[in-house]
Every structure is written in structure tokens, then in C-alpha cells.
Amino acid sequence: MDLAAAILLILLNLASWYTCSDSRLLVKMTLVHNASRIGGFCLDGSLPAYHLHRGFGAGARNWLLQFEGGGWCNDIQSCLERAQTRRGSTLYMNKLEDFNGILSNNASLNPDFYNWNRVKLRYCDGGSFSGDAKFDNGTSVLYFRGKKIWEAIILDLLPQGLMHARKALLSGCSAGGLSSFLHCENFARILPRNTSVKCLSDAGFFMDERDIALNHTMRNFFENLVSLQGIEENLNKNCTSFLDNPKLCMFPQYFLRYITAPFFILNTAYDVYQFHHALVPPSADTTGHWNRCKLSIDSCNTRQLDILQDFRQDMLVALRSFHIYSRRGGMFINSCFAHCQSESQDTWFARDSPQIYSKTIAEAVGDWYFSRNTSKLIDCAYPCDTSCHNIAA
């Protein structure tokens, strides 16, 4: 190939919706220009965005929407700082997003969803796409408009074929996994009644758990988040009317019972984010006694392992009713020290992916979505699972 032809090929790839390089699928960002009409702004006031890769063949009328994760900000200072990063502004985001795992277009890597319309919803509000407030002190302005961002993206996608979807799956990882819990019912109401709508949360089952100092670190964090970003009005109404403290309805364990759409919960029983920030936050371990354990599970002493086993047990208790009574629900609760397993190819579907009873995460989710088999899988306790991809901080 001569130089002119090579340059032409590069330009064609840049102009297309995606480019494949080294087996990677890179999908172009789409700004939601009409979001400003309903006040759907990122923290800094920039326009929200998504990445869409079109489906084909038998999957051309099926849609998978994946909420991006990335934590939260629950006070003005942290939100001001976040607004100057890719977590709070599309101005700082990469314009090409790598689609793999559940977003892959390769049938051998993503057998059930590879040919669907797959959408990555970029996260820039710091409130799991659920806030509806604004901060303006005359000097600084912050937009807590996650709910409006969600609505704006949906309005943009509906005329592109989402309104005619035959099958749909709302998914997300971490803070995005929490978004899947929070928006599942709304998503089901938006789409036609004859659409098969289901939801999946990956690493989004955040627990209302006391830390090792017996403080409600995660509860206090979520309460401040709900208050700051005006989230309470957007939480599940059945839950908020039932609990004395409606802000607790930010925790899935309190409103899962009210989700009527089929739901799949993918979570590790030793979720690393919750281990590091909820169970053993720095504020509860001022002497650094847990530092080595956090770096490597092999370095945890017997007492620390007992505490981690108690956390696993608390999670299983919180999921017990769903496990027993949900006829259309699915679960994959493995015993790995990890966080988010659906977006990475090595944990989603690969030769050495984590498994429960010889079934990978992709196979369990596919069996559940297409009703091929019952998919409520719970791993034995650590250290029995040799298929784990344990991560170290």
C-alpha cells in the first residue's frame, strides 16, 4: 500500500463510527445537543454524551444500554474538583471508547449480545444519573442533573430505533450498576409493552453496612449525596414511603423488592470497592492495620478474614428474599476480590474467566436473559474459588 492509500484508509477510519485496531473496538462519542432543552448538563455545564455501536443481523432490533461507573461526589468541594475531570465533564473525556466484555461485537467473546445495538452512557453527574438540583453561589456553578441526562439520552436514542426494540437490557458497573437498580423500572415503562426489558447490575449492590469502627460510613456518604444532588424525589416511591429515613432508598437492599422487571445481580461477595471504602475506610483504620490486607488478600490475618466473611454473609442475607422468591431474577455472586466484571473481557468471557459450577459470567447472564436455564449462582466462601481474578489496590 502506498502512502496516499494509507492516509486515505486512516481518514476513512476516523470518519466512521468506530475503528478496529489490534482487535479493539473503538466507538465514537456522540454529544446529546438537545439535552440543554431539558437542563441535562454534566457537573460543569457541558453536554452529556454516549457511545453507540449499531447492531446487525438478528440483533438489529435489540438494545443494550450500559451505564458507566466512577464513584460519586457528595459535597461541593469534591464536586468542584470532579467537574474538572472526565468524571464531571465531557470536555475531558476520551472521544473513542473501547468496547469489550458485554459491549464486544465479537461473537466468540460476547456470544449473546455481540450483534445488539450497544450503548455506553458516559457518567458526568456524580450522582448515578439520579440528581436534579443546581448549585450557584455567584462564583461557581454545579449542575446535579443526572436524571435529566438519563432522560435526554433516552430521548436521543428512541428515534434511532430504541422505540422499536424487541429486546432490551439495561446494565451498568459500580456507580453505573447502582444506576441500573435506580432506573430499571423507568426503563421498562419507557419502552413498548411487547419489548422484553430486563436489567443487570454489575458491582452495584452497595450495602448499608457498618465499618470496622461500627460507624455508618457508607450510609452517611449516601445521605449527603442524596441531599446535595436532590435525589430523594427520584428514589423508589414505594421504598421512600415505607422507610422512616427515605434517603436509605439509595441502597438497593431496601428497594429491590419493588423492582418488577426481571433483574440480574452480578456481584462479588468481597467487592473491593466496598471492602476499601465502606467496610474498612481510612477513617476507620487510622493506624493502617489493614493496609497489607487491602493490598493482598493473602496478607490478611485470621481476624481480618473473619470480618470479610461476615461481610459476605451480610450480603447473602440481604439477597436472601431475592434468591428464594424472585422467579425471573438471576444472580452470580462469586467469591473473588474484584470490582466490576462485565466490562473486562478476561472476567466476562475468556478461557480463564471466573466461573461458578463451570459457568462463566457471560453464560450465566445469557442463560438468564434468554430463559435457557435457571441462573442463580452463589459461590462457596473464599478461598475455595480458584478461577478468581483477584485484584490488589
Side-chain angles (χ1 to χ4, degrees), residues 128-142:
S128 285
F129 293 84
S130 297
D132 192 3
K134 179 181 176 181
F135 169 80
D136 186 350
N137 65 358
T139 302
S140 302
V141 179
L142 288 169

Side-chain angles (χ1 to χ4, degrees), residues 16-318:
S16 68
W17 281 105
Y18 71 96
T19 181
C20 290
S21 175
D22 299 327
S23 299
R24 297 171 66 196
L25 175 63
L26 301 176
V27 182
K28 183 180 177 182
M29 173 188 283
T30 298
L31 288 175
V32 187
H33 293 285
N34 288 333
S36 58
R37 294 183 181 179
I38 62 172
F41 299 109
C42 297
L43 284 171
D44 70 332
S46 59
L47 291 172
Y50 60 84
H51 302 253
L52 165 63
H53 187 255
R54 285 288 184 179
F56 56 92
R61 288 185 61 183
N62 301 335
W63 287 76
L64 189 157
L65 275 61
Q66 174 87 349
F67 286 112
E68 183 179 28
W72 311 269
C73 62
N74 72 338
D75 58 55
I76 295 301
Q77 185 56 42
S78 64
C79 289
L80 285 172
E81 294 171 358
R82 189 182 180 97
Q84 300 177 57
T85 72
R86 66 185 180 92
R87 297 300 186 195
S89 172
T90 48
L91 299 177
Y92 304 105
M93 290 180 181
N94 50 305
K95 303 306 183 284
L96 293 173
E97 186 71 1
D98 193 356
F99 274 30
N100 54 44
I102 196 172
L103 296 175
S104 173
N105 69 332
N106 187 326
S108 65
L109 301 177
N110 186 26
D112 286 308
F113 307 106
Y114 73 97
N115 60 355
W116 287 31
N117 297 284
R118 285 151 291 109
V119 189
K120 182 76 169 283
L121 282 63
R122 298 308 297 269
Y123 183 35
C124 65
D125 64 278
S128 285
F129 293 84
S130 297
D132 192 3
K134 179 181 176 181
F135 169 80
D136 186 350
N137 65 358
T139 302
S140 302
V141 179
L142 288 169
Y143 295 89
F144 304 121
R145 296 289 174 77
K147 182 172 182 290
K148 296 295 185 183
I149 290 173
W150 160 249
E151 293 171 354
I153 292 176
I154 290 296
L155 288 173
D156 211 56
L157 293 175
L158 283 172
Q160 297 190 59
L162 181 60
M163 68 172 63
H164 302 300
R166 289 175 177 167
K167 300 182 186 299
L169 176 62
L170 184 66
S171 181
C173 159
S174 190
L178 178 57
S179 300
S180 294
F181 279 114
L182 294 168
H183 289 294
C184 182
E185 290 293 274
N186 175 256
F187 187 57
R189 286 194 297 268
I190 289 169
L191 297 183
R193 289 187 177 182
N194 61 348
T195 303
S196 174
V197 180
K198 302 186 180 184
C199 304
L200 160 69
S201 172
D202 176 8
F205 196 77
F206 294 97
M207 294 279 292
D208 181 21
E209 186 87 352
R210 289 180 184 268
D211 63 30
I212 57 170
L214 302 182
N215 297 315
H216 283 292
T217 297
M218 200 66 187
R219 176 186 292 189
N220 294 336
F221 185 94
F222 270 3
E223 287 177 337
N224 291 335
L225 172 64
V226 170
S227 296
L228 176 69
Q229 296 218 19
I231 295 175
E232 185 172 329
E233 288 301 313
N234 302 323
L235 297 176
N236 185 284
K237 296 296 188 294
N238 290 317
C239 180
T240 56
S241 63
F242 178 76
L243 295 184
D244 292 335
N245 182 357
K247 292 183 178 67
L248 294 184
C249 294
M250 193 74 177
F251 288 100
Q253 69 197 80
Y254 297 123
F255 67 87
L256 177 60
R257 71 182 72 176
Y258 304 115
I259 297 178
T260 59
F263 209 102
F264 192 100
I265 299 174
L266 165 61
N267 233 95
T268 69
Y270 310 95
D271 181 81
V272 168
Y273 180 92
Q274 297 191 65
F275 173 18
H276 291 186
H277 299 280
L279 184 63
V280 192
S283 61
D285 184 35
T286 56
T287 63
H289 180 65
W290 281 74
N291 287 351
R292 293 182 67 241
C293 179
K294 284 184 174 181
L295 287 171
S296 172
I297 186 62
D298 294 331
S299 299
C300 298
N301 61 38
T302 301
R303 175 57 181 156
Q304 290 169 334
L305 286 174
D306 286 343
I307 291 173
L308 289 168
Q309 300 294 17
D310 288 343
F311 179 82
R312 171 184 179 270
Q313 187 59 36
D314 289 346
M315 179 177 287
L316 295 182
V317 169

